[in-house]
Amino acid sequence: MPLSELDQPLGRKRRARTRLPVGRWLSLGLAGTLLLIFAALTLYAGLRRDPDGGEPVATAAIRERAPAPEIAAAIPQSGRMEESHGPASARQLETESGVTVVRPGSDAPGAIVITVPDDGAVRLAAAPDKRLIERTRHGYLPKVGPDGATPAQVYARPLGPAPATKPAGRIAIMVGGLGISQSSTSEAIARLPGAVSLAFAPYGADLEKTAARARAEGHEVFLQVPMEPFDYPDNDPGPHTLLTGPKGADNLDRLQWALGRFTGYVGIVNFLGGRLTADDAALTPLLREVAGRGLMVVDDGSSARSQLAPAATRAQIPALKADLALDGAPRADAIDKELQRLETLARENGVAVATASALPVTIERITRWARTLEAKGLVIVPVSAARGFRNPSSTGSLR
């Protein structure tokens, strides 16, 4: 009979028997085993430094398969490997590309000339040409080179190969107002045919970079010079406008500021200027400056009273006046009508010159129209070349 607490000796407590369940021992043993296995694998991977990170890897041998007899027979001997001279295909490529490679063990000439075949693209001369610039407080200004070379000659777009048949007419187009709106400028450079000349206003940002991009796409470039219109100052071309009368005392400084905005342009074209281009007294000192810098002058044809082109010709400056403006009414139908007039003038006179603004609708209509010219026997030529076709005695000379 078990003793009750009353039957136990004083000062003593009955020691309870502690039981540990077998399941707990099994759980601890299994966890420990897994921990040891994990530690062992980690140590093994660290010591081995497996570059594949433990991923399964399969290795397969790749052997070159000989071509079928009929294929091997069709391969030209020049396209097979030659152990003594290296791959003949590489030499064949060198020959076809016009590049000569001097290999180890060969005697290299003192000067190696690499000839790259012409792909037919018209390329403009690099700008700025160091012969044709001078540093001033307004930046680099154009000048006549010591050898007599002029910016009008060097920076003009070449005509390229003569067409197979004589064109029914030649058309020159100058699109102006570039450099102000980046989107319109990029659109004009990318979409218009390379023979279309581009004119940049002097107030744009990054003009040097933008004009260089236009030239890289084949467009010759001009500088638009702001000139006083009849309704000045209500119609204000900007803070560096060339003015008439007493207000024109600073004209030469303003002109030089504009000339220093970027490099690589063929010449200048008026931006507005109805009043100034009709004033011989105001034009004379300005044209003297332009003549000394070897530039071409283009009259955009916006003023019937303009004396810009004839005054420039008297100053022995290569000059040209546009026949019409394409987007006086900036609508698609009106622009298309002026383009048809331009075609007619080109057929009648041999060459016709037009100006336009870099409006989205203008760029779109000129681009679409230009695709139709080949079938009509008409070609687009740069503005710099149009003068020669209009005055055959001046062909080949922009001086």
Side-chain angles (χ1 to χ4, degrees):
M1 182 176 181
L3 297 175
S4 67
E5 291 183 4
L6 295 176
D7 297 324
Q8 293 179 9
L10 293 175
R12 285 183 163 183
K13 292 184 178 179
R14 186 178 179 182
R15 181 174 298 174
R17 183 178 295 175
T18 304
R19 295 182 180 180
L20 291 176
V22 175
R24 183 177 298 180
W25 283 108
L26 292 176
S27 298
L28 291 174
L30 181 59
T33 302
L34 292 175
L35 183 61
L36 288 173
I37 293 173
F38 177 76
L41 290 175
T42 302
L43 180 60
Y44 174 75
L47 292 175
R48 186 169 179 243
R49 296 182 180 177
D50 184 3
D52 299 311
E55 293 291 336
V57 177
T59 303
I62 300 176
R63 296 181 177 86
E64 183 177 358
R65 182 180 178 183
E70 63 273 12
I71 298 177
I75 299 176
Q77 191 67 28
S78 60
R80 297 176 186 171
M81 300 292 290
E82 299 177 1
E83 295 181 359
S84 58
H85 298 92
S89 58
R91 293 180 181 277
Q92 183 180 3
L93 288 173
E94 293 165 17
T95 301
E96 293 175 354
S97 64
V99 177
T100 301
V101 178
V102 179
R103 291 181 168 78
S106 302
D107 293 331
I112 299 175
V113 178
I114 299 177
T115 303
V116 179
D118 187 6
D119 58 3
V122 176
R123 293 177 174 84
L124 277 64
D129 187 319
K130 292 183 179 180
R131 300 172 300 163
L132 308 179
I133 56 173
E134 64 174 336
R135 185 189 293 272
T136 72
R137 68 188 185 91
H138 292 300
Y140 288 111
L141 267 58
K143 71 170 187 176
V144 178
D147 56 353
T150 67
Q153 296 169 332
V154 174
Y155 297 143
R157 174 187 164 99
L159 274 175
T165 58
K166 184 179 179 180
R170 295 175 174 87
I171 294 172
I173 299 176
M174 177 183 290
V175 174
L178 300 184
I180 303 297
S181 166
Q182 291 301 316
S183 59
S184 295
T185 300
S186 298
E187 191 83 355
I189 292 173
R191 295 190 61 190
L192 291 173
V196 173
S197 304
L198 303 181
F200 287 80
Y203 301 118
D206 295 324
L207 286 179
E208 186 71 41
K209 183 186 300 183
T210 309
R213 181 155 53 92
R215 299 185 78 254
E217 293 295 325
H219 302 279
E220 67 179 14
V221 299
F222 285 76
L223 167 68
Q224 286 183 291
V225 177
M227 301 181 183
E228 181 182 356
F230 285 110
D231 53 353
Y232 179 85
D234 292 336
N235 187 8
D236 189 349
H240 295 275
T241 298
L242 307 185
L243 303 172
T244 59
K247 299 175 293 185
D250 297 328
N251 275 353
L252 283 179
D253 188 69
R254 295 190 185 106
L255 176 61
Q256 290 181 358
W257 175 87
L259 294 176
R261 296 293 288 138
F262 62 97
T263 61
Y265 49 87
V266 176
I268 67 167
V269 56
N270 62 294
F271 175 59
L272 298 180
R275 176 172 290 166
L276 184 126
T277 57
D279 189 330
D280 278 335
L283 282 176
T284 299
L286 298 174
L287 292 176
R288 189 181 301 120
E289 174 76 6
V290 171
R293 299 198 175 277
L295 299 171
M296 182 180 180
V297 170
V298 177
D299 186 330
D300 69 359
S302 59
S303 173
R305 297 171 58 181
S306 174
Q307 296 299 310
L308 181 59
T313 301
R314 290 194 299 271
Q316 298 186 344
I317 300 171
L320 186 68
K321 184 172 183 177
D323 297 303
L324 56 87
L326 295 176
D327 53 359
R331 304 188 316 272
D333 61 330
I335 294 171
D336 290 345
K337 184 177 180 181
E338 293 303 309
L339 288 169
Q340 292 301 317
R341 284 186 58 201
L342 192 62
E343 290 183 22
T344 301
L345 286 173
R347 290 190 178 93
E348 292 175 351
N349 303 326
V351 63
V353 182
T355 58
S357 301
L359 301 172
V361 62
T362 304
I363 295 171
E364 192 273 332
R365 299 317 297 174
I366 293 176
T367 302
R368 182 186 295 267
W369 163 82
R371 301 191 191 107
T372 69
L373 294 183
E374 184 177 0
K376 300 173 182 177
L378 299 170
V379 296
I380 300 178
V381 297
V383 168
S384 61
R387 171 177 171 270
F389 291 114
R390 181 173 287 180
N391 306 301
S393 61
S394 65
T395 301
S397 174
L398 282 173
R399 180 72 177 137

